[in-house]
Amino acid sequence: MFMKSINLISLAQAHDSLLHDEYKNFTKYYGVDIKNNETIDLKVLVSEIFLRLPDVGIFNDFYVGYKIKHISKEFDLLRFGRNYVLNVEIKSTSTVEKIKTQLTRNNYYLGHISKVVHNLCFVAQKKILYRLNSFGDLESIDFSYLIQLLTNQNLIDLDSPDVLFNPSDYLVSPFNSTDKFLNGQYFLTGQQEDIRDEVLGEIYDNKTAFISITGSAGTGKTLLTYDIVRFIKNSKNVVVVHCGQLNDGHHRLRQFGWRIVSIRDFRNYDLNDIDLVVVDEAQRIYPQQFDNLVVDAQAKSTDCIFSYDKQQTLSSAESRTDIEGKIDSLGFFSKFKLSEKIRTNKEIASFIKVLFNANRNDISFPNCGNVDFDYFTSTSNVKDYISLISNEGWEVLRLTPSQYDNEHHESYSQLTSKTSHRVIGQEFDNVAVVIDQYFRYDSEGFLTYNSRTYYDSVKMLFQNITRTRKKLKLIIIGNRQILNRCLTVLG
């Protein structure tokens, strides 16, 4: 359901007069996401404005509690005009520092959709208005300033604010948005900042630090890990060890002086020259590599950060390594876990659950048209189709083949398509994957693969699908079971 704009006086009076369930249905209809105490503070703002200008019309067309799709970024009050965007945050109480930080972030996000943005904050207990001025400084303002903005705004008629925001503008990846990352054109969430500050504190301590950072897909683990390196690399000798093939983003970072190596080349490094080793995608490290690094780092007083997601393994051997268990067994690690989903496309996330488990019929699937599929029976047609959509902006990801034996999926894959191992840690707006006839559901409803492959095909398919930012396309080859599952879920 699209979010609807609302008149703030209408919202305030509904809160005062409706029964609990009636008010709940009322806010649900408009898509309003606001807590009771926030509504109370909002009513203070409305009263202060109405006291100065009793005009119901200037309270029109507000979006209350809007969140940018796929991103955990929320705005209290938004109003869109052709001449400028108005944002008003509402606090019961706060500090100048916190208000400035929030409005600065809001200016970053809203600056992508309008050249002119007015970012304000209302503190209800003191009935004070603040604005972020053109120099990025916070200053208190009179209510007449806000009333002037409300009166002079040339409003836009929107079906939904979603049409204005492109999540890809904000989902900055060190690998796929490398220049933005290097220029600091991104923000961390509060949880990411807290973890970063604690990690930096331990690293700058005199004691040798062993640290793990974990987080599932969508929590921004890679961005946090590389942000820590970006922050610290000018004061300490840092090497990033990537447990996989280096991608284009890695090579771009190396051009700017980053020391990044693949795990297979790390044995050539002498830790006497290294203050900090950051092991990215550590769930894929070999047990002997892990043991050797820990022993060597202790002997050389080198700090270590292990960043990983235990779900993103690509073979049974990697799962059996159980890097998390090895870390826990050491007993002297500081552990940090990212839990906030900041990059979650709810539609894709829900679809993944129902695709990989045919018995998951308890999931509410928000079908917004971002998941679709095609069905073929000819592998030669599929190869031509892959070439076609690759030229139309789709990143077609293939399974990683064995170095030793021919595997069935190679018969339809394009060599120019990136493999599962190649895209570790990366993200793409539009992802397409092929599901051939050997994917099947077992007796318990779990997805399996019934043809011999060197790497775990189900894990590789999961890796490929979770690289999706916006749109996902399944190319199904002669697999009626998967086709019917998609028809049931998406139909």
Side-chain angles (χ1 to χ4, degrees), residues 175-204:
F175 308 142
N176 303 104
S177 314
T178 309
D179 289 340
K180 281 187 175 182
F181 171 75
L182 287 169
N183 293 327
Q185 295 175 299
Y186 63 92
F187 280 103
L188 302 181
T189 66
Q191 186 189 35
Q192 287 175 316
E193 285 186 341
D194 290 343
I195 292 176
R196 180 193 64 187
D197 292 345
E198 289 192 55
V199 169
L200 291 175
E202 294 204 18
I203 291 174
Y204 281 115

Side-chain angles (χ1 to χ4, degrees), residues 6 104 124 163 197 203 218 231 256 260 276 280 308 324 374 401 409 419 431 433 446 448 450:
I6 193 170
T104 301
V163 301
D197 292 345
I203 291 174
F231 192 94
F256 283 84
I260 302 175
L276 172 66
D280 190 28
Y308 66 94
E324 188 165 66
D374 298 287
H409 59 88
T419 65
V431 169
V433 297
F446 293 107
T448 62
N450 298 324

Side-chain angles (χ1 to χ4, degrees), residues 462-477:
F462 180 78
Q463 166 76 208
N464 292 352
I465 288 180
T466 55
R467 302 304 93 203
T468 309
R469 277 175 170 167
K470 294 171 63 176
K471 291 182 178 292
L472 173 66
K473 182 188 292 291
L474 303 187
I475 305 169
I476 303 170
I477 307 178

Side-chain angles (χ1 to χ4, degrees), residues 65-75 105 108-109 112 162 165-172 187-189 192 218 223 340-346 427 469-470:
Y66 174 73
K67 295 179 181 177
I68 302 176
K69 287 184 69 174
H70 317 327
I71 303 173
S72 63
K73 176 56 191 171
E74 181 177 353
F75 305 89
R105 291 185 178 186
Y108 164 75
Y109 287 103
H112 283 80
D162 293 344
F165 293 92
N166 180 5
S168 298
D169 290 336
Y170 317 110
L171 294 176
V172 174
F187 280 103
L188 302 181
T189 66
Q192 287 175 316
L223 178 61
E340 296 178 1
K341 293 278 187 176
I342 65 170
R343 297 169 177 261
T344 300
N345 183 324
K346 292 182 180 179
E427 300 166 345
R469 277 175 170 167
K470 294 171 63 176

Side-chain angles (χ1 to χ4, degrees), residues 453-467:
T453 54
Y454 183 80
Y455 297 105
D456 189 316
S457 295
V458 175
K459 288 180 178 294
M460 287 191 289
L461 179 65
F462 180 78
Q463 166 76 208
N464 292 352
I465 288 180
T466 55
R467 302 304 93 203

